[in-house]
Amino acid sequence: MTQSMPGGDLPGMAPHADGRSWMRLIDWIWTVRGELPLPAGQDADKAFAKLEPFFREPGTSFDQAEGRLTFTKKDPLAQDKMSIYDRGELRVESQPGGGVLRYWMTSKSLLFCFLAPLLFVAFGQIIVGVGILAKPDAEQADKKKKEEKDKVRELHWIDQMLGAPAPEKPKKDEKDKKKDEGGKDRFSPTSAYVFAGLFALLYVIGRILEDRLISRRFLRSLSGG
């Protein structure tokens, strides 16, 4: 039994929404749109009957009426072939050349992957800013510490009279060198920029791949494959 969801179009993202809307200028970030030709003689009821298995998944509710199918997903399973999408609409329209299926679907996952690089770049810039502000104090503290460490202790006059050798200048061991090198990287934004790059790559791949996958799956189902 199909489960109904509240009727009406979703704000600012429906296929028939005003193309001049400012929302349409940015919603491509998290919205996948497309259209597919229907096989000859296939009407809306037959088309949605073939696509219905996509919406019979756990966590999915949908409503079909008047050549339109709307759906929402909440906590879908990983096996769900449309788990990346949160809500959307499919509509069958008649044209001189035959029926056409138009669809649009939104994804919070795509939106997150798009915003994550911006967030990590912002973190990187904050780290750089903190490093610039802390640099004078850190350099002064490091300089004072180095002077204390490099200072050669003078022999007592009795030791000098006895001919004791003068103490050598303390050598910096590997542990100290690594510590100094690590201190220079305390305010390095490299890690933040690496994560930004990874999420940016993930978004580009996901945005292109998911668009093609859903189009191919719908087409295969409509054709009876």
Side-chain angles (χ1 to χ4, degrees):
M1 180 176 180
T2 59
Q3 301 178 6
S4 297
M5 58 173 280
D9 299 323
L10 302 180
M13 299 186 216
H16 58 278
D18 184 359
R20 294 170 296 178
S21 171
W22 67 270
M23 181 64 74
R24 289 294 297 272
L25 298 177
I26 62 171
D27 73 350
W28 58 267
I29 295 170
W30 63 84
T31 303
V32 172
R33 289 184 175 85
E35 62 178 57
L36 297 170
L38 297 180
Q42 193 173 96
D43 58 13
D45 291 336
K46 291 180 180 179
F48 289 144
K50 288 182 174 292
L51 296 176
E52 191 170 304
F54 287 103
F55 308 102
R56 289 286 187 180
E57 298 288 346
T60 303
S61 60
F62 70 97
D63 181 37
Q64 178 190 337
E66 300 178 357
R68 184 177 67 177
L69 185 151
T70 55
F71 73 91
T72 59
K73 288 181 178 290
K74 184 176 181 181
D75 300 326
L77 300 178
Q79 296 84 351
D80 188 343
K81 294 180 180 179
M82 295 179 60
S83 60
I84 190 176
Y85 302 107
D86 305 291
R87 60 196 308 188
E89 178 180 303
L90 291 78
R91 177 176 298 186
V92 172
E93 299 178 359
S94 297
Q95 294 187 356
V100 174
L101 173 71
R102 300 183 188 277
Y103 60 86
W104 66 268
M105 295 170 288
T106 62
S107 171
K108 292 179 182 177
S109 299
L110 287 176
L111 180 59
F112 172 78
C113 288
F114 180 85
L115 295 177
L118 304 179
L119 183 63
F120 279 110
V121 168
F123 283 155
Q125 292 301 305
I126 291 174
I127 292 172
V128 171
V130 171
I132 293 174
L133 294 176
K135 187 176 181 180
D137 293 337
E139 288 181 346
Q140 188 67 23
D142 291 342
K143 184 179 179 181
K144 186 175 181 181
K145 186 185 295 184
K146 185 178 179 181
E147 289 176 350
E148 290 290 333
K149 201 165 193 178
D150 293 345
K151 187 176 181 180
V152 179
R153 190 180 59 179
E154 295 183 359
L155 282 176
H156 192 272
W157 65 272
I158 297 178
D159 294 328
Q160 292 179 4
M161 290 180 62
L162 295 174
E168 296 181 358
K169 185 177 181 180
K171 296 180 179 180
K172 184 178 291 187
D173 56 20
E174 291 298 322
K175 186 177 180 180
D176 291 334
K177 289 181 180 179
K178 291 181 180 179
K179 187 176 180 181
D180 290 345
E181 290 173 358
K184 296 178 182 178
D185 296 333
R186 283 179 298 177
F187 301 104
S188 173
T190 302
S191 297
Y193 292 157
V194 169
F195 278 109
L198 290 175
F199 275 103
L201 180 62
L202 185 63
Y203 173 78
V204 172
I205 293 175
R207 183 64 178 80
I208 296 174
L209 184 63
E210 289 298 331
D211 195 344
R212 295 182 177 180
L213 278 177
I214 198 62
S215 175
R216 190 179 306 167
R217 287 167 178 167
F218 280 172
L219 188 60
R220 187 183 300 122
S221 295
L222 292 171
S223 300

